Amino acid sequence: MEDTKYDYTGVDIASKLLKIAKEKHPDHNRVQHDMVGYVQEQESESVDIIICVASFHHIPDRETREYLLQQIYRILRYGGVMITVDRSRSYRMMRKYRKAIFHSALQSIISFGRHEYKTLTIPFHSN
């Protein structure tokens, strides 16, 4: 099997996760930054592949998520690929965040639908 050469940059806001990544893969680049800020700083059509793992549910609102997707589209080269994996509304997740889910549904009712009931922000804790 031929070794494929690539430049990889891991971006995370959590310094502890970046430290673990450095220990496991010392040859790759790592940047401590928030997703939106990092993507904004990248040149147009400069990236072949973007992989987002467990990240979009940390983006606080729909407008910011849409803006992030526009910026990702901007920095992807023609034929580039974005892969994203996020939490689903699994039974485990529904039990763990039931208060936040209830609050989101209540906000939707109170705002007469202006607040999306499906928008659920899960707080990020780096410890």
Side-chain angles (χ1 to χ4, degrees):
M1 183 174 192
E2 182 181 318
D3 283 341
T4 304
K5 298 294 180 190
Y6 58 92
D7 292 323
Y8 169 88
T9 301
V11 180
D12 204 304
I13 200 165
S15 59
K16 289 182 181 179
L17 292 176
L18 292 170
K19 183 179 177 185
I20 292 167
K22 184 176 183 175
E23 291 168 0
K24 292 186 175 193
H25 303 282
D27 297 338
H28 298 301
N29 300 320
R30 278 157 302 286
V31 176
Q32 185 173 4
H33 209 312
D34 68 281
M35 230 176 16
V36 176
Y38 181 80
V39 170
Q40 283 176 324
E41 295 174 1
Q42 302 312 301
E43 293 183 28
S44 295
E45 299 181 19
S46 60
V47 178
D48 294 310
I49 301 171
I50 294 177
I51 302 171
C52 301
V53 178
S55 51
F56 268 81
H57 60 268
H58 295 295
I59 305 298
D61 54 59
R62 181 180 182 152
E63 291 80 22
T64 307
R65 287 190 296 271
E66 288 176 355
Y67 175 76
L68 176 61
L69 287 170
Q70 290 168 352
Q71 291 301 304
I72 287 173
Y73 182 78
R74 178 187 63 79
I75 69 171
L76 278 172
R77 288 190 178 106
Y78 182 77
V81 175
M82 176 187 175
I83 300 169
T84 182
V85 178
D86 265 287
R87 294 179 180 176
S88 65
R89 292 192 175 227
S90 66
Y91 179 72
R92 179 178 169 266
M93 185 249 183
M94 298 286 270
R95 286 192 57 195
K96 184 173 182 179
Y97 297 106
R98 67 182 171 270
K99 288 181 184 177
I101 293 167
F102 175 77
H103 178 73
S104 182
L106 186 61
Q107 287 284 54
S108 180
I109 292 167
I110 291 170
S111 70
F112 296 100
R114 288 189 305 273
H115 172 85
E116 288 184 83
Y117 77 94
K118 291 182 181 179
T119 297
L120 178 64
T121 303
I122 298 172
F124 178 78
H125 303 286
S126 64
N127 58 356

